[in-house]
């Protein structure tokens, strides 16, 4: 598990690059979590870039930028149908 700050678009881009590199170079599941003002996108689509886990919240009131459980299920379904990520 690695947590990084993503407060700019550049840092968000670096988070995606780091996710892909971790997925290629580390032979076990990895979890790269993004915090900060630009973290929302990475939190929602991280598994497409190699994160082995998608964190979710019950509703929009309890989790800052986390997808809701319903949205997380939709994301996982999209990943499964595309054949990408760890959800094969």
């Amino acid at each position: 598990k690695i947590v990084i700050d993503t407060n700019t678009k550049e840092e968000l881009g670096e988070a995606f690059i780091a996710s892909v590199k971790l997925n290629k170079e580390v032979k076990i599941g990895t979890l790269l979590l993004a915090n900060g003002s630009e973290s929302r996108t990475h939190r929602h689509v991280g598994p497409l870039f190699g994160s082995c886990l998608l964190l979710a919240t019950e509703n929009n009131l309890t989790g800052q930028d986390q997808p809701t459980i319903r949205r997380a299920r939709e994301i996982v379904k999209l990943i499964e149908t595309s054949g990408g990520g760890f959800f094969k």
Side-chain angles (χ1 to χ4, degrees):
K1 172 179 144 182
I2 300 170
V3 181
I4 60 174
D5 286 327
T6 54
N7 291 308
T8 66
K9 298 286 185 194
E10 292 78 22
E11 289 175 340
L12 177 61
E14 291 171 7
F16 285 120
I17 291 169
S19 292
V20 171
K21 285 184 178 181
L22 279 170
N23 187 32
K24 286 183 179 179
E25 296 179 16
V26 179
K27 301 303 177 198
I28 59 171
T30 60
L31 176 61
L32 190 137
L33 297 173
N35 285 329
S37 59
E38 295 293 329
S39 66
R40 182 177 171 84
T41 302
H42 192 277
R43 288 177 178 263
H44 286 248
V45 298
L48 285 172
F49 294 87
S51 290
C52 67
L53 188 65
L54 177 59
L55 302 177
T57 185
E58 183 179 355
N59 57 53
N60 290 331
L61 301 176
T62 59
Q64 297 170 322
D65 286 329
Q66 301 284 41
T68 61
I69 293 170
R70 176 177 291 159
R71 181 67 183 136
R73 285 183 183 143
E74 293 170 359
I75 292 167
V76 170
K77 187 172 183 175
L78 287 170
I79 293 169
E80 287 175 338
T81 58
S82 71
F86 281 96
F87 300 103
K88 294 182 182 177

